């Protein structure tokens, strides 16, 4: 059996409407071209899931709750208005890694994903790292886009990196 990769993300990569989404979609296309099986643990709801799976030749596992789906849609809406996004961002207090944990998402993730069947797990954002438990035996890659962020500094200060 060939190699299997799991990508944990909440980015709607199939939309390719921003740098992150485009980067993920290009990565999936390139890795798939080598015959490597890719599965996505998508934190949220995927509309037209079967169509997206067929286009990218992947399997998508929806890992979400009603509350999470609403917050992701709100985030998408805010991101469409750059001035509003910056105003909100400038007025937010710093969130910590621990405050981003969602116990319901952990339960759904663990119920739907048999983590040790993957050779590699790619965590798209450092804040999603909490979904991987210490029993995972494969290669774990955390997207380094967060290295310059407050989230990374929070990880460092808690000796979690």
């Amino acid at each position: 059996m060939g190699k299997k990769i799991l990508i944990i993300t909440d980015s709607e990569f199939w939309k390719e409407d921003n740098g992150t989404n485009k980067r993920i979609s290009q990565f999936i296309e390139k890795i798939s071209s080598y015959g490597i099986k890719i599965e996505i643990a998508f934190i949220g709801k995927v509309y037209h899931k079967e169509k997206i799976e067929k286009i990218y030749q992947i399997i998508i596992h929806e890992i979400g709750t009603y509350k999470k789906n609403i917050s992701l849609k709100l985030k998408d809406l805010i991101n469409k208005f750059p001035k509003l996004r910056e105003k909100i961002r400038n007025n937010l207090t710093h969130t910590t890694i621990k405050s981003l944990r969602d116990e319901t998402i952990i339960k759904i993730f663990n119920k739907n994903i048999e983590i040790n069947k993957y050779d590699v797990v790619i965590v798209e954002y450092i804040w999603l790292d909490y979904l991987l438990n210490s029993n995972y035996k494969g290669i774990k890659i955390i997207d380094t886009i967060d290295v310059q962020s407050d989230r990374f500094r929070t990880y460092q200060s808690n000796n979690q990196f």
Side-chain angles (χ1 to χ4, degrees):
M1 183 169 219
K3 297 277 185 190
K4 287 182 92 170
I5 293 177
L6 176 69
I7 300 174
I8 302 173
T9 187
D10 66 352
S11 296
E12 295 176 320
F13 60 87
W14 56 92
K15 291 184 176 178
E16 297 187 356
D17 58 351
N18 63 43
T20 298
N21 292 349
K22 186 71 172 168
R23 177 178 45 84
I24 297 168
S25 95
Q26 288 178 340
F27 176 78
I28 290 169
E29 289 172 352
K30 185 67 172 176
I31 295 301
S32 292
S33 74
Y34 294 121
I36 297 172
K37 300 286 184 196
I38 298 176
E39 294 186 19
I40 308 293
F42 183 76
I43 312 304
K45 174 78 176 144
V46 180
Y47 298 96
H48 310 292
K49 180 178 163 226
E50 293 79 17
K51 180 180 174 185
I52 296 164
E53 288 176 326
K54 186 175 182 181
I55 291 169
Y56 288 95
Q57 300 176 356
I58 57 177
I59 295 171
I60 299 174
H61 305 276
E62 293 175 318
I63 313 294
T65 63
Y66 185 68
K67 176 182 165 189
K68 183 63 78 176
N69 292 339
I70 288 173
S71 67
L72 289 172
K73 286 298 166 198
L74 185 59
K75 182 180 90 170
D76 288 345
L77 179 64
I78 290 168
N79 283 334
K80 289 180 181 175
F81 301 97
K83 288 183 181 178
L84 176 62
R85 180 185 64 223
E86 290 309 311
K87 186 173 183 169
I88 290 170
R89 188 176 288 171
N90 290 335
N91 290 309
L92 285 177
T93 57
H94 174 63
T95 56
T96 66
I97 294 296
K98 288 178 183 166
S99 71
L100 294 171
R101 289 177 62 95
D102 186 326
E103 296 301 321
T104 304
I105 295 293
I106 292 171
K107 288 176 186 171
I108 296 169
F109 182 86
N110 290 333
K111 180 180 175 190
N112 291 288
I113 304 292
E114 185 186 326
I115 198 72
N116 281 312
K117 78 176 187 178
Y118 302 99
D119 301 292
V120 177
V121 174
I122 298 172
V123 180
E124 264 314 304
Y125 287 102
I126 201 167
W127 71 270
L128 293 170
D129 180 61
Y130 74 91
L131 293 170
L132 283 179
N133 61 41
S134 60
N135 297 328
Y136 176 63
K137 305 291 185 229
I139 297 170
K140 176 178 160 181
I141 300 169
I142 300 176
D143 192 325
T144 57
I145 197 164
D146 285 324
V147 167
Q148 298 298 321
S149 75
D150 290 338
R151 291 182 288 221
F152 181 76
R153 284 189 284 284
T154 301
Y155 253 52
Q156 284 180 318
S157 66
N158 290 314
N159 295 319
Q160 294 179 352
F161 192 79

